[in-house]
Amino acid sequence: MPSPSPIFAEMEYEHTVFLKPRKEESLIRRHPWVFSGAIRKIDGHPKDGDLVKVCANKGRLLGYGHFSPNTSIAIRMLTFQEEEIDGDWWRSKIRQALKVRSDLNLLAESNQNICRLIHAEGDGLSGLIVDYYDRVAVVQTHSMGMHCALNEIVQALKVELPELKGVFDKSSKLLKKIGLADVEDGLVFGSLPEDWSPIEFGRKIVIDLEQGQKTGFFIDQRENRSLLSQLSKGKKVLNVFSYTGGFSIAAMQGGCELAHSLDSSKRALDLAEESVTLNGFDAKRHKSIEADAMQFLKNGVAEYDIVVLDPPAFAKSASARHQAVQGYKRINQRAIQTMKAGSLLFTFSCSQAVDDRLFTHTVIAAAIQSNRMVRILHRLHQPADHPVSAFHPEGAYLKGLVLRID
Ligand code: SAH
């Protein structure tokens, strides 16, 4: 590695951002976001995606991050010390993230080959998500800085994961939102193995890389699906907001009498049916219901023993929180009111802006209005391969409750 000369340092980090007095405190605590309102002045003319040096008001170095002038998070920090962000740096970050997953033994079993490899702030890489599905990595860059680093990221993944056969970039939708119109989704390395077979604790998964939501599947519910699997024997299960049927397949794995998948997306339901066949389950035990969940729940769910409610994020920002809470209350109340005695409700929220406490209070409010005896059996969260930095509590986005309704 070349030793940094003064000229080198100037070329690499020609942009320096100075924060307003006392705005350095959160960065000293290793919170990785700098909001635009915290910036006092900028030396240089950084463009969207450029690496900038960040200093406190009086010039103390705070670290380096990706500049993002068009969003409220103006800088996403990559490091809180003096170091060069080069190919070696990316490899070391990715190696550390992989070590966390291998220490969790998440890919050690032959019946389990999907996990999240990089969880943005949880792995010190704000703006980057990488999911792993049986030798294929799916990358989502949420910022211009991460988009510009794609090559380094792919190289690092290839070196650190020798079994890797393909890398699929699935960032175009996110990048369009920040003004990059000409990026397309697709393989940026290798190809899909002919015998590609993503599997989650024995459940084979159909993933649509081209058109699927997020990275193609919601890995964050993996352990929660396994819990449903354990509780499903002989039960009638309704999976509302089913997407490609992850919870339905888990219920069928656990020996449910029937599983009904409800979603507004016909495409997602087609994939759910494909999954049923791929897993060798009797297709007569599964039914797809293409419907609006709010409307459907009005008719009651008394015929089921277990109901799963896993809606999309109702609150995409703090300003939408109030409306989101009303939405959660409404769907939970509609379900609880009509569920049969002794039934179970798996209810979730993946809105970052609605925290654990608020979600629990909202569900309890729904239970009170339903006038039913309701007990909390489990409190659920995102799994360990979606780690939350202790300094960035906003990263804890998934919460869920398993309720017994009597
Ligand atoms: N539970 C799923 C993930 C759910 S993602 C899993 O385990 O994989 C949220 C799903 O809700 C999406 O598939 C989306 O199509 C669906 N959706 C959004 N709004 C809806 C509505 N009003 N009615 C029914 N489905 C809806």
Side-chain angles (χ1 to χ4, degrees), residues 40 63 68 84 143 147 158 205 340 344 368 385 394 397:
R40 176 169 67 79
S68 177
E84 200 179 326
S143 66
H147 172 63
K158 279 163 67 176
I205 306 214
K340 66 164 87 142
L344 297 180
I368 292 169
D385 54 339
E394 297 92 329
Y397 67 99

Side-chain angles (χ1 to χ4, degrees), residues 18-21 23 34-40:
F18 292 88
L19 302 188
K20 291 178 183 166
K23 291 294 182 190
V34 176
F35 290 98
S36 52
I39 295 176
R40 176 169 67 79

Side-chain angles (χ1 to χ4, degrees), residues 213 217-218 221 225 239-247 262-265 268 291-294 308 310-312 314:
Q213 298 182 30
F217 190 65
F218 293 88
Q221 293 282 23
R225 291 190 194 105
N239 178 11
V240 185
F241 305 101
S242 67
Y243 186 48
T244 56
F247 279 103
L262 185 147
D263 204 280
S264 53
S265 160
D292 174 68
M294 310 290 177
V308 180
D310 183 26
F314 282 166

